[in-house]
Amino acid sequence: MTSTALGSPAGATAPSDPQGRAAPGAHVRERPQGATGPAPSGWASARRSVVVAARRVDDVLHRRRLWVVAAVQLLCALAVLTVSRLWLADQSLRLDESQSMQQTDRSYGAMLKEVAQDVHVPGHHLLLRTWRLAFGGDVETARALSLVFFLASLPVLYLVARRVLRTRWALLAVALFALSPFMNWYGNEARMYTMLVFATLLSQLFLLRVLRRGSAGDWTGFALTAVAGAYTHYFFLFVLVAQGLVFLLVSSRERWRGLGRMAGTAVLVALALLPWLAYFRAEGSASGTRPQLPSPSSVDFTNVYSQFLGGFLPDSANSALVATWPLLMLAALLVVRVARRPDRELWAVVAAAFGPVLLAFVLSHLISPFFLSRYMIAALPAVVLLVVAFVAAMRPRFAVVSAAVVLALTATATVAEAVRTDVPVKEDYRGAAELLSEKAGPSDLVVVSSPFTIWPFEKYYDGDAKVVTLPEWDRRGGIPAFDPAALPDQVDALASGHQRVYLLLSYDQGYEADIADFFQRNYAKVYEEDLTPGMEVVGYRVGYDQLEPVGGLQLTQPLTQVVGPAVVRGGRG
């Protein structure tokens, strides 16, 4: 295999440095004690120290590689578990998680029927239901399955990284991946995203083996992981398309036989998915459960990669990070060494980092918007490998410093994401439920919008007030479409007989502003609190506990029962 400036192939012994440095274990020439000439400057001494330290690292890795790799893997796993235990595992249930919990509470048959009416494939749901039956049905146990896939991805990432990087840089990639704020977030969410990453890494490993050797075992592993990935998430199909294009463009050995095997893999995946797609179509093709998403912009495309590297930042911080990218790239180019021509393995990593995301972006404009950064998580490991490859291509003194800075920034971003309350993806339904359990009384009403957010809310709610949704939904079948013309009558019917209405607004589906504006124009606001970004509780007075006596008559009924909610709205204030 032709070595690049990024590293040597897995299994090579004592790889030589592309700049002519000694191989690990080789004798390092020292400055003779009696040598004459000017003493080295401080900068030169620092540079020499970095080079010597790098040689010592290579020497240790050469002599104790297995032990060092095992130690780094263990430390990374401990870091993942520590972040989970301290900050993430006990967070409030989020909307997507509540759907997984609600679906996997059912029997296998009922679960498959409900998933077929949703927008996902059933692989993770089948596994999650089995996991919960075996180990427990609580939220933390459900999240533990995602954590298992996250931890299992660490050694697979190392094997993939060693195909394009030297050992020390492959270990840096594992460390960055383990500290990634994006991975840690979804490693503690009861959804299929870390399972998708695991399947993608296995598929990428077999693809790299196919590109180099193409044995029957490699092709079998690639085909099996392709089927497993396709049943994990629809986005995995974009991964397969990118891999197929890479194979078509860079494969040279036995091209036609390889193309036949790649086509055979595509046919196998299609045949494997056919029964599920037929069932999915028979159940309505998720016509009533698809979320309303806007068409993605170029900013959304860029945000995917900023979130991969920096996590979910507040909008102001994310905008600043995106704006500094050109300056960071210019600064980095000044310290990068000229590398040799990238080989096929590196091209495969580049395609994995950008190909699936670009395909999703284009199809979100051509067909229907579905561009969410969490769906793109399959590209994250390849992005990490490219970042490390970029650092490895720097001059030695800059590479060591840059590696330390990148590690520190990644760890800081993970901790900040975990402890900050203004993180855009945090959904504090537990806090909302506890607040309304205490504040809303028997004569009040809690109105939840969007309707499907009632699932995570009711997981924690233990109050006396009745809970309904707006638009009204019986939780069977699709959610009714919002009708602005019917809103006044719907609100009148809901408000009748109640003193206050508490609106819980979250997960805007395009009509949240209409609902909020209607209440604001027609009722007196008595309470308001923002809980997490995009989630607020607003209270309105729709009736009165007691009216002034008229002609000796004391009215104690709610005003909405006496004159009707429409009159209350008309006489607001």
Side-chain angles (χ1 to χ4, degrees), residues 67-79 151 153-159 170-171 174:
W67 290 104
V68 172
V69 170
V72 172
Q73 290 277 345
L74 179 60
L75 288 174
C76 289
L78 289 175
L151 295 172
S153 298
L154 298 179
V156 184
L157 176 65
Y158 173 77
L159 295 176
L171 292 175
V174 174

Side-chain angles (χ1 to χ4, degrees), residues 188-207:
N188 290 273
E189 182 170 286
R191 295 291 276 176
M192 70 290 296
Y193 301 114
T194 56
M195 183 177 173
L196 174 61
V197 169
F198 180 70
T200 301
L201 281 170
L202 282 177
S203 181
Q204 195 70 15
L205 177 62
F206 282 114
L207 175 68

Side-chain angles (χ1 to χ4, degrees), residues 8-16 22-27 53-69 158 162 166-169 171:
S8 57
T13 59
S16 60
H27 175 69
R55 289 173 180 168
R56 288 176 178 171
V57 170
D58 280 341
D59 185 56
V60 171
L61 288 174
H62 179 59
R63 291 184 289 107
R64 297 287 188 270
R65 176 178 297 178
L66 181 61
W67 290 104
V68 172
V69 170
Y158 173 77
R162 279 294 291 127
R166 297 179 68 174
T167 301
R168 64 183 179 188
W169 298 118
L171 292 175

Side-chain angles (χ1 to χ4, degrees), residues 87-413:
W87 297 299
L88 298 178
D90 191 41
Q91 289 193 112
S92 170
L93 186 71
R94 298 185 281 275
L95 173 62
D96 281 1
E97 292 182 295
S98 70
Q99 292 177 304
S100 290
M101 299 290 286
Q102 181 263 342
Q103 289 165 346
T104 56
D105 278 337
R106 303 177 182 272
S107 67
Y108 283 102
M111 178 193 70
L112 289 175
K113 182 179 179 65
E114 189 157 342
V115 173
Q117 296 170 351
D118 201 355
V119 292
H120 292 290
V121 280
H124 179 263
H125 292 81
L126 289 168
L127 189 58
L128 180 59
R129 169 155 177 78
T130 305
W131 174 272
R132 295 180 68 200
L133 288 175
F135 300 106
D138 58 282
V139 177
E140 289 74 18
T141 300
R143 287 173 172 169
L145 179 61
S146 296
L147 201 62
V148 167
F149 279 113
F150 186 9
L151 295 172
S153 298
L154 298 179
V156 184
L157 176 65
Y158 173 77
L159 295 176
V160 173
R162 279 294 291 127
R163 295 272 161 178
V164 292
L165 298 166
R166 297 179 68 174
T167 301
R168 64 183 179 188
W169 298 118
L171 292 175
L172 175 62
V174 174
L176 283 177
F177 182 77
L179 295 174
S180 162
F182 201 86
M183 279 302 303
N184 276 279
W185 184 265
Y186 289 109
N188 290 273
E189 182 170 286
R191 295 291 276 176
M192 70 290 296
Y193 301 114
T194 56
M195 183 177 173
L196 174 61
V197 169
F198 180 70
T200 301
L201 281 170
L202 282 177
S203 181
Q204 195 70 15
L205 177 62
F206 282 114
L207 175 68
L208 295 179
R209 292 166 64 97
V210 162
L211 291 176
R212 184 53 50 190
R213 298 187 306 175
S215 68
D218 297 333
W219 278 106
T220 300
F222 180 72
L224 292 177
T225 54
V227 172
Y231 265 95
T232 300
H233 200 285
Y234 285 118
F235 183 81
F236 188 82
L237 299 177
F238 298 146
V239 174
L240 292 179
V241 171
Q243 290 176 337
L245 292 174
V246 166
F247 184 84
L248 181 64
L249 294 174
V250 307
S251 179
S252 59
R253 183 181 302 175
E254 298 180 338
R255 176 183 294 271
W256 295 112
R257 178 183 297 180
L259 287 177
R261 290 176 173 175
M262 184 62 74
T265 300
V267 171
L268 176 64
V269 171
L271 291 176
L273 279 177
L274 191 59
W276 174 255
L277 294 178
Y279 186 44
F280 173 72
R281 183 175 178 82
E283 291 296 328
S285 302
S287 58
T289 58
R290 295 179 183 179
Q292 301 297 316
L293 299 174
S295 296
S297 65
S298 58
V299 174
D300 295 320
F301 184 88
T302 307
N303 281 345
V304 168
Y305 295 97
S306 68
Q307 290 172 5
F308 280 175
L309 300 175
F312 296 103
L313 302 171
D315 290 340
S316 57
N318 187 67
S319 299
L321 176 62
V322 173
T324 59
W325 273 32
L327 295 177
L328 293 174
M329 292 301 296
L330 287 174
L333 288 174
L334 296 176
V335 294
V336 173
R337 297 175 295 175
V338 177
R340 299 181 187 178
R341 182 180 179 181
D343 58 17
R344 66 187 72 180
E345 283 87 353
L346 185 57
W347 281 122
V349 174
V350 172
F354 298 104
V357 180
L358 185 59
L359 283 170
F361 182 82
V362 172
L363 291 178
S364 289
H365 284 278
L366 296 179
I367 302 177
S368 177
F370 57 89
F371 195 85
L372 294 171
S373 61
R374 61 180 180 268
Y375 292 174
M376 315 297 145
I377 195 172
L380 187 148
V383 172
V384 170
L385 292 180
L386 289 183
V387 170
V388 174
F390 193 75
V391 172
M394 293 180 180
R395 298 180 179 91
R397 61 183 181 276
F398 292 112
V400 174
V401 174
S402 297
V405 170
V406 170
L407 270 176
L409 290 177
T410 303
T412 301

